[in-house]
Amino acid sequence: MRETSRRRRSRGAAAALTAAALLAAGALTGCDSASDARGNGSPAKRRPSPSPTPLWNRSPDSIAAVGDSITRGFDACVVLSDCPEVSWATGTDATVRSLALRLIGQPAVSERSWNFARSGADVEDLAEQMTQAAAKKPELVTVMVGANDACADTAERMTPVEGFRSSFGAALRQLRRSAPKTQVYVSSVPDLRRLWSTGRGDPLGRQIWKLGICASMLGDAEDVSVKAQQRRDRVHERIVAYNEVLKDICGKDPRCRYDGGAVFDYRFNGKQLSRWDWFHPSKDGQGRLAEIAYRNVTAASAPRP
């Protein structure tokens, strides 16, 4: 009987040690267990990962504009004069409702928007304008350039495509040196051949064009010979190539958004062209450009070509 009791005590002690070991193991592995803390065996809930902050801010509150005479509102108010108050990008005119006015509102638009565009500017002038814009640390820079590169005295004197690529790329790099987080909205170059088609039926427009406005496209507006059409086709093809450059370079910058060809595709009518030159946008035309820009800047994703 004594031997039997010892054996029983031995077996009992072994069982107790085994139970203790199991409990200890459970305590050690409890933090890593996939089971619910209440021990009901259900999988533990994982906290959702925080959503990444989007790179594109759809409501920037400061804007700088660079580019050419279109962004300066040339010939929109007074003949042969800039009228920046009606600029599609940064204007203060309530009837145009510029991009800045729609995003920032009055009266802040006068304090938080800047227009560094220059009438007559081409893509080579963009780097200097970007330097001026970067100094203001804007949340958004708008770019509209390329019409003057295509509007030369002759088609042969248009800016070469590779030169356009080099200058536009340099301008964007110049901005990034001082303002790496500034967003950039790039407008496509307007379709000047469609502009010729729209305005050539107006006698006043044809007379004004004879003064030398965009001679590569608008010169000899009534000439529809094969040679003249080939010249216009060449200018048209060059603008298409410029837009491909804008799309390509902008597409490689995560904080740059190209308009997808929206301005190029827009069909300006006589009401939307300046009555003084039938080339630059009127106040109504500036308003249409502002609508396009606002739609694309505030869209959830970049427009597709």
Side-chain angles (χ1 to χ4, degrees), residues 205-257:
R206 291 197 304 269
Q207 289 301 314
I208 294 173
W209 288 352
K210 288 180 180 179
L211 298 177
I213 297 176
C214 197
S216 57
M217 175 61 75
L218 306 180
D220 300 319
E222 295 180 277
D223 186 356
V224 292
S225 65
V226 172
K227 184 177 180 180
Q229 294 289 36
Q230 288 175 338
R231 167 173 55 85
R232 295 185 191 109
D233 288 346
R234 184 176 175 184
V235 177
H236 177 80
E237 290 166 2
R238 184 63 55 90
I239 291 172
V240 170
Y242 289 165
N243 284 333
E244 283 296 316
V245 169
L246 297 176
K247 180 182 72 171
D248 180 46
I249 293 179
C250 184
K252 295 174 182 177
D253 186 323
R255 296 185 188 273
C256 186
R257 180 173 284 193

Side-chain angles (χ1 to χ4, degrees), residues 61-63 89-93 98-115:
D61 68 355
S62 57
I63 300 174
T90 59
T92 56
D93 189 290
S98 70
L99 175 64
L101 198 57
R102 294 169 195 243
L103 291 172
I104 303 172
Q106 290 282 19
V109 66
S110 299
E111 302 170 357
R112 300 204 300 270
S113 67
W114 309 271
N115 193 324

Side-chain angles (χ1 to χ4, degrees), residues 150-195:
C151 285
D153 294 336
T154 64
E156 289 73 24
R157 298 186 66 179
M158 293 185 294
T159 301
V161 176
E162 285 310 308
F164 189 90
R165 177 182 293 277
S166 176
S167 294
F168 181 67
L172 196 55
R173 290 193 298 274
Q174 181 66 28
L175 176 70
R176 288 288 170 247
R177 290 187 186 99
S178 302
K181 294 184 179 181
T182 291
Q183 296 179 169
V184 182
Y185 171 72
V186 179
S187 168
S188 51
V189 185
D191 185 351
L192 300 183
R193 186 171 64 182
R194 184 179 292 134
L195 186 150

